[in-house]
Amino acid sequence: MMKTLTHTPTALWPGLRYALAKALARACAVVWRKARQWSAYAPAATTRTDPIWEFHAEAGAPEGALFVNGELVGHVQVRRL
């Protein structure tokens, strides 16, 4: 014969679920504030002072493309030995 439960575990402790939810909400708030505070001190990844130069050319081609920070600046004539 199977035994049936007449009560649920949360019914035994009605304030326990509320207290746990409140404690978790406070802990999340503290972690959120700390994360925002620490991110303010992190250096920005997008601020660069030096340009990034790139040169693209096919093998044996007489010219190539010059890019600065991902934008086409011009074409360069290449003389190979």
Side-chain angles (χ1 to χ4, degrees):
M1 187 149 197
M2 291 187 62
K3 205 181 226 187
T4 58
L5 292 175
T6 57
H7 60 276
T8 60
T10 54
L12 293 176
W13 304 77
L16 179 63
R17 193 161 57 177
Y18 176 78
L20 285 175
K22 191 79 165 170
L24 285 173
R26 285 182 182 164
C28 288
V30 169
V31 170
W32 178 256
R33 281 194 301 271
K34 281 296 178 188
R36 297 218 4 127
Q37 180 184 8
W38 291 338
S39 68
Y41 295 119
T46 57
T47 57
R48 290 200 133 157
T49 56
D50 297 333
I52 298 174
W53 295 77
E54 298 177 38
F55 178 74
H56 296 279
E58 293 291 323
E63 64 184 27
L66 181 64
F67 292 89
V68 177
N69 292 336
E71 294 184 26
L72 178 64
V73 174
H75 295 280
V76 178
Q77 296 293 328
V78 180
R79 202 162 110 191
R80 301 201 168 136
L81 297 175

